[in-house]
Each structure stands twice: as structure tokens, then as C-alpha cells.
Amino acid sequence: TISFDKGDARSIKMKDASGEEVNVQINETLKYPDGSLRKVSAVFIARGVPSIGYKTYYVVPEQKDMEVISASGKMAETPFYKVRFDEGGIRSIFDKELNKELLKTGKIGGGDVFTLKSVGNGAGEFADIQETEMEGFDIVSKHCPEWEITENGTVYVTFKIRQPIRNAVVENSVKIYKGIKKIDFDVALLNWEGVLYREFRFILPLNMAGGQVAYEVPYGVLEVGKD
């Protein structure tokens, strides 16, 4: 986040210490009455930062107005992925490096969210997980929401849907980076009605056999079915 004095900048560039320009994307702005920037929130990819040490980047204010990049459609393509969106979910994530489809979406889309009944019994269920029930089942894709492109620039493109389902509103954002091999999913449950015994699940049906699942933290890894 960078602040400017009145009239100093209408857009920005970024450069590294060698003077080479770095892709930067502005995702939030606050302007003075004359249209110049008062504050911006910007995103860039810091490459080659040493594990011990630092790397310096410079913000360069510019007087030309910011470029507005528009986009539409249900497809996103980067040097790493082809992503195809469908109503309420993702139909395909094709990995170009592996030359392989990553999702198996015959029955359900990737990134979909559903709710069902889950009573459980507190801490005791850690040793004996309670089964869920289909009572009150609801799923985002049943309502056929359309994806909207909310951000699009040199660093990433973001697709978003917002859909009321039983007891809450699901807001799902998918951010696809253009210069690195990375996709972020960000799911929020809004306007929760406080109903007891409801469980919400995010779905990512992977196209793989004999897969291994691991949970990672800074100082350890837990492998499901092993640890």
C-alpha cells in the first residue's frame, strides 16, 4: 500500500534494483478530487529474493492515467494452465506442463460448495468421526450462478460468484496468476443464519489415482493415512 501527495501520481510502475520493470497490478485506489492518486494497493511478484537477505523494488509514479483492462468469458489461460468455468464451479483445469487434466468433473465441478446436516458430538468425534446426513442439502451449482471477472491485470485475473444457499451466502473467488504457477481459491460464508448442525464443504475433485494428501505447517508435515 502506497500513499502520494496530491498531484504526484495518476498511475504507477515498479522497477527492481537493476532498473528492470516489474509487472504490477493495482487492485484498490483512493483518489484526490483532481483525480490523482491518494493511496493505492498494488500487487507484484517478488522473484529471486534470497532466503537470508533482501531485495529492493522501487515504485515509480506516473502522470498518465491507469490503464483499465476489461475481460469477459468463461475461460482463462496462462503459460501454465487453461481453466474453464461452468455455472457454479470449474469444469476443467488443464496443466500445460504435465499435459494433463487435473480435475475429474463428471458429477460435480471443482470449487463448488455444498451444505448438509452434521451433528457430531464435540471433542469425542476426533476418534470416531460422525457421519453426515443429506437433510437440508444444498449446493451452489444447483442455482446456476454466472462467474464474473472482478479483477484483471498483468499479475492475475480473478473470477467471482456470490450465491445464496441454505442458511448462508457463498462468495467464491478464484485468482489465477499469470506469471507463476499458482491458483488461489478464497471461499467466504456470509450472512450466516446461526442454524445448528450445518456443515459446509468445498469440493476439488482431483483426477488422480492413489493420491497422497498432506497438511503442511512451517515446521512439519502430516500425511493422511500415515501419521
Side-chain angles (χ1 to χ4, degrees):
T1 300
I2 311 127
S3 298
F4 297 96
D5 291 331
K6 184 178 179 180
D8 279 357
R10 290 183 174 270
S11 64
I12 62 170
K13 283 185 177 181
M14 289 198 70
K15 295 183 178 182
D16 62 16
S18 67
E20 184 176 348
E21 190 170 335
V22 177
N23 285 336
V24 61
Q25 183 166 335
I26 295 175
N27 58 12
E28 194 173 329
T29 63
L30 185 62
K31 295 184 178 182
Y32 291 102
D34 67 350
S36 62
L37 295 176
R38 181 175 181 178
K39 182 182 288 187
V40 299
S41 175
V43 178
F44 71 101
I45 304 299
R47 299 180 183 275
V49 180
S51 58
I52 300 177
Y54 62 90
K55 190 171 181 179
T56 304
Y57 291 86
Y58 298 92
V59 176
V60 182
E62 294 212 309
Q63 286 301 324
K64 67 177 183 179
D65 289 327
M66 291 182 298
E67 181 183 2
V68 178
I69 303 175
S70 61
S72 61
K74 296 182 178 181
M75 176 80 74
E77 184 169 356
T78 73
F80 311 101
Y81 297 113
K82 284 184 180 178
V83 184
R84 185 161 58 90
F85 290 83
D86 207 347
E87 294 176 337
I90 295 176
R91 186 54 51 198
S92 169
I93 301 178
F94 185 80
D95 188 313
K96 292 182 178 181
E97 290 183 325
L98 299 178
N99 194 32
K100 182 178 181 180
E101 173 59 47
L102 301 184
L103 299 183
K104 188 174 183 178
T105 58
K107 294 182 179 180
I108 201 162
D112 212 339
V113 178
F114 67 82
T115 179
L116 71 174
K117 186 177 180 180
S118 176
V119 176
N121 57 6
E125 72 176 305
F126 293 157
D128 186 16
I129 302 299
Q130 303 299 301
E131 293 186 8
T132 56
E133 302 174 34
M134 292 298 289
E135 181 181 327
F137 178 85
D138 199 4
I139 187 168
V140 167
S141 57
K142 183 184 78 172
H143 303 276
C144 302
E146 292 288 338
W147 291 90
E148 175 190 5
I149 296 177
T150 56
E151 295 179 275
N152 187 26
T154 57
V155 180
Y156 62 83
V157 58
T158 300
F159 290 75
K160 180 181 286 188
I161 53 174
R162 183 183 175 103
Q163 176 62 50
I165 63 172
R166 185 179 296 272
N167 306 129
V169 175
V170 175
E171 188 174 88
N172 192 358
S173 297
V174 181
K175 183 180 291 184
I176 305 167
Y177 292 84
K178 298 180 178 181
I180 56 175
K181 193 175 185 180
K182 183 179 181 182
I183 300 175
D184 286 340
F185 291 85
D186 186 7
V187 179
L189 296 177
L190 310 175
N191 302 344
W192 168 241
E193 296 176 359
V195 178
L196 294 176
Y197 310 132
R198 302 304 304 171
E199 181 172 308
F200 291 81
R201 295 191 180 187
F202 166 85
I203 309 156
L204 201 65
L206 298 177
N207 179 32
M208 60 192 305
Q212 295 175 304
V213 178
Y215 293 92
E216 297 188 14
V217 295
Y219 297 101
V221 179
L222 175 69
E223 294 184 47
V224 176
K226 177 181 176 182
D227 300 318

